[in-house]
Amino acid sequence: MGQFPKTRLRRLRRTEGIRRLVRESRLAPEQLVYPIFVAPGRNARQPIRSMPGISRVSVDLLGEEARIAEKLGLGGLLLFGVPDDKDATGSSGRSPDGLIPRAIESIKSAAPGVLVITDVCLCDYTDHGHCGVLRNGEVDNDATLPLLVEQALSHALAGADVVAPSDMMDGRVAAIRQGLDEAGFPQTAILSYAAKYASAFYGPFREAAQNAPKQGDRKGYQMDPANAREALREVALDLDEGADMVMVKPAIAYLDVVRQVRDRFDVPVLAYNVSGEYSMIQAAAAQGFIDGRRAMWETLTSIRRAGADAIVTYFALEAAKALAGS
Ligand code: PBG
């Protein structure tokens, strides 16, 4: 590649003009998916203490959010329900007139072009906070599957474009694919949270969604942070079962996994820049320890550089607004 002084790599770093020309990883609004926490009630916007800038929003206000997403050209919205009514099997998550079906209708009627992705999992709807039903204190994989299918169907029926199972039960992608096909929704896509780790970085989300397990933890179903080869098995299985897209979650502490999944599988790969990753930057920036805006760009860029096609991130609005202004 040449030698100093003939070769000077600094030539291509001198000005923003030249840096922009040779930049390897780029960000665009359509690569950003914005998570929304849907709350009961009317005209409600409850700020989440642990996630500065993010609120739980009631269904009647979602049209506004959808129009903003449309105007900014975001890749999509990812919906989470935060209901009042929780029980042992998470039945409020399967109701055809539950929070998420109503949220989908509200978004689609305000901005039909906005892509709607829904999180499919029991933990937001169970009183014990686990992602499946319990039997003798343990999450029962196979008994959970039909409940996930029902939940996914209620979303598809309301017009969800993509359902995204995040529960980490074995076999759920196959069950959901079969359920959707049999019910007449062969076009509803599945984004599987294929490699989802048992992570401390979900901390702020658990306050946002009020879904922390009352007892125990999620290590019996979410992955061990030490394992990368196992992530590739998870992805292979989910693709075999019919997943259209796969996700790695969290993003920042798992960029090596994003890269390996990217290199190994020719399917769309998403990464979830989770609540803790967001809140750490916000908290440090609020104290003046780091430049929050620059840390956001660096974070999102690193996820793209690792090979993610799209990023689920609480920074989506801020980043897309900045991109529109630049
Ligand atoms: C629930 C779910 C979680 C997240 C997305 N879906 C939390 C968990 O598994 O405890 C975390 C998202 C975030 O931290 O931003 N299945």
Side-chain angles (χ1 to χ4, degrees):
M1 294 287 279
Q3 259 185 0
F4 179 81
K6 207 169 112 202
T7 301
R8 291 177 182 271
L9 293 182
R10 286 185 55 194
R11 278 186 204 117
L12 302 185
R13 295 179 200 147
R14 280 185 60 231
T15 63
E16 181 53 18
I18 196 85
R19 288 192 295 269
R20 203 173 55 185
L21 180 71
V22 302
R23 193 156 284 148
E24 297 175 32
S25 305
R26 295 172 198 278
L27 273 171
E30 62 265 30
Q31 296 161 334
L32 305 174
V33 172
Y34 188 54
I36 294 191
F37 299 102
V38 184
R42 285 194 62 79
N43 200 23
R45 208 177 266 281
Q46 310 150 347
I48 299 156
R49 192 190 53 89
S50 58
M51 300 178 71
I54 306 293
S55 299
R56 287 187 284 265
V57 182
S58 59
V59 170
D60 55 307
L61 300 183
L62 289 177
E64 207 178 301
E65 303 277 318
R67 280 187 290 268
I68 292 171
E70 187 172 52
K71 196 158 139 256
L72 289 170
L74 293 188
L77 298 174
L78 172 61
L79 306 183
F80 293 94
V82 193
D84 286 333
D85 41 338
K86 305 195 182 203
D87 62 20
T89 70
S91 53
S92 59
R94 299 189 284 283
S95 158
D97 55 2
L99 273 182
I100 295 300
R102 286 191 286 122
I104 297 167
E105 279 153 21
S106 157
I107 290 166
K108 288 290 183 184
S109 64
V114 168
L115 190 86
V116 175
I117 309 172
T118 59
D119 188 85
V120 172
C121 190
L122 300 200
C123 65
D124 296 337
Y125 308 94
T126 50
D127 50 15
H128 46 73
H130 277 288
C131 301
V133 286
L134 298 180
R135 196 157 119 214
N136 304 326
E138 232 188 278
V139 171
D140 185 336
N141 191 91
D142 299 12
T144 301
L145 299 183
L147 306 180
L148 294 168
V149 173
E150 252 191 86
Q151 189 180 115
L153 277 178
S154 73
H155 299 172
L157 192 64
D161 300 291
V162 181
V163 293
S166 69
D167 52 281
M168 289 301 279
M169 297 302 117
D170 288 319
R172 91 271 210 217
V173 173
I176 291 171
R177 184 70 272 158
Q178 190 187 347
L180 288 171
D181 290 353
E182 283 172 6
F185 297 102
Q187 303 295 354
T188 307
I190 299 178
L191 162 63
S192 113
Y193 288 69
K196 178 174 177 181
Y197 288 87
S199 171
F201 294 104
Y202 306 151
F205 179 95
R206 291 182 183 175
E207 182 191 322
Q210 297 163 344
N211 74 342
K214 295 255 155 51
Q215 257 171 14
D217 53 40
R218 303 204 204 288
K219 291 180 185 158
Y221 39 104
Q222 298 181 346
M223 286 182 57
D224 184 334
N227 294 356
R229 289 191 299 263
E230 188 189 354
L232 301 177
R233 291 189 74 192
E234 282 284 3
V235 170
L237 283 171
D238 283 3
L239 291 173
D240 241 24
E241 291 182 25
D244 300 286
M245 306 176 267
V246 294
M247 184 136 73
V248 174
K249 177 186 174 185
I252 301 307
Y254 301 87
L255 292 177
D256 58 319
V257 178
V258 174
R259 168 49 60 192
Q260 289 186 63
V261 171
R262 164 75 296 146
D263 287 346
R264 184 81 70 95
F265 301 97
D266 291 327
V267 298
V269 177
L270 281 80
Y272 199 138
N273 177 217
V274 301
S275 57
E277 300 173 331
Y278 171 83
S279 296
M280 282 195 303
I281 290 179
Q282 298 293 48
Q287 302 247 35
F289 296 164
I290 58 171
D291 178 332
R293 178 56 71 87
R294 288 186 57 203
M296 171 186 82
W297 285 124
E298 204 170 319
T299 295
L300 297 175
T301 299
S302 75
I303 300 170
R304 290 274 300 138
R305 195 186 63 233
D309 297 294
I311 307 169
V312 178
T313 177
Y314 303 96
F315 287 120
L317 286 189
E318 186 185 340
K321 277 182 199 155
L323 285 168
S326 66

